[in-house]
Amino acid sequence: MALRPSESQITLVNPTFEHDPALVLLLKPDNVKQTSMAVLKTGEVAYKVESSKSLTKCSVFRPGNDTPVALIERKDFFADKITLEGEERQAIKNWLKGYGTFKEFPISFEKSGNLYHWKTNIVSQLALFSAGNPDHPIAWFERSKKRVIDGKPVILQAWLAMEPEAIAIQDAVVVSFLAVEHKLRTDVKAGDLLAGRASNFVV
């Protein structure tokens, strides 16, 4: 028996929290090279991420602003580059300490005299910590997941949550997250290919 259109659709499900973070951005779709990042509570788009057809250049914009918050240039044989708004073009590894293919975490950056560390756990979930408080994350990311709830297929949407300390440096958190999550997915994808496994997310 053929399914009716309403039965064959996959429902997108927003995240719920026991204790609400200060800000949650939904990634639509869960693709760090081409996505919109919208505020969970209002639906307002906070960032647009756009890539060139070759996927070698990735720009991060705030809506209504033609000047990108960041331009990321990915290279095959040379160091990846980044141009942050108001700053000179530089190698990403000079801004994100520890960034590079198969480099180990944490990956760190400095902002306003403070040091921050992106860390990952055994299932490749990212969380950001300030150097002064290594036990409690100020931002964390959850990838999208496919589930069956009450017999219906659903997608739990990808989201990036932030606490007030992260909101104070929001652009740096978002841009560093996009760069680090892409690196993490690329590393996992490469490892899966070497091991003969298939990854279930967009690199």
Side-chain angles (χ1 to χ4, degrees):
M1 181 179 66
L3 292 175
R4 294 192 299 270
S6 60
E7 294 175 329
S8 62
Q9 292 176 349
I10 296 178
T11 302
L12 297 177
V13 178
N14 288 339
T16 56
F17 302 91
E18 185 175 346
H19 302 289
D20 284 343
L23 175 66
V24 177
L25 298 177
L26 298 177
L27 274 71
K28 302 179 181 181
D30 184 4
N31 179 348
V32 292
K33 295 178 298 187
Q34 191 82 31
T35 193
S36 294
M37 302 179 72
V39 179
L40 172 62
K41 290 184 177 180
T42 65
E44 179 184 2
V45 174
Y47 296 92
K48 293 279 289 184
V49 183
E50 300 176 354
S51 289
S52 60
K53 289 184 179 180
S54 62
L55 302 180
T56 56
K57 292 185 178 181
C58 178
S59 300
V60 184
F61 294 94
R62 282 187 175 274
N65 192 340
D66 293 334
T67 302
V69 174
L71 171 63
I72 300 171
E73 301 170 75
R74 298 189 170 98
K75 311 288 186 179
D76 289 332
F77 302 107
F78 300 98
D80 291 351
K81 304 290 186 181
I82 189 167
T83 306
L84 300 170
E85 186 176 12
E87 298 185 21
E88 296 293 325
R89 182 171 178 257
Q90 61 180 313
I92 293 183
K93 65 182 181 181
N94 291 341
W95 178 53
L96 295 175
K97 307 301 183 184
Y99 179 93
T101 305
F102 291 122
K103 290 289 185 68
E104 294 184 0
F105 283 79
I107 293 176
S108 307
F109 68 93
E110 187 175 335
K111 184 69 176 178
S112 302
N114 297 312
L115 190 62
Y116 301 91
H117 306 291
W118 281 108
K119 299 180 181 180
T120 184
N121 61 17
I122 194 170
V123 291
S124 298
Q125 292 174 315
L126 279 178
L128 181 67
F129 298 82
S130 65
N133 190 356
D135 297 323
H136 300 284
I138 62 171
W140 59 101
F141 175 64
E142 187 78 26
R143 292 175 183 157
S144 60
K145 296 181 177 66
K146 292 181 180 180
R147 294 287 186 269
V148 176
I149 299 177
D150 296 330
K152 296 181 180 180
V154 303
I155 292 179
L156 307 179
Q157 295 196 82
W159 49 266
L160 176 66
M162 286 183 253
E163 296 293 15
E165 186 175 348
I167 294 174
I169 56 166
Q170 184 172 311
D171 286 350
V173 171
V174 168
V175 173
S176 63
F177 152 71
L178 291 169
V180 173
E181 175 66 10
H182 178 266
K183 169 201 149 36
L184 186 58
R185 295 185 185 200
T186 302
D187 287 355
V188 171
K189 188 79 170 182
D192 285 348
L193 288 173
L194 288 173
R197 299 187 298 267
S199 301
N200 60 354
F201 50 76
V202 176
V203 174

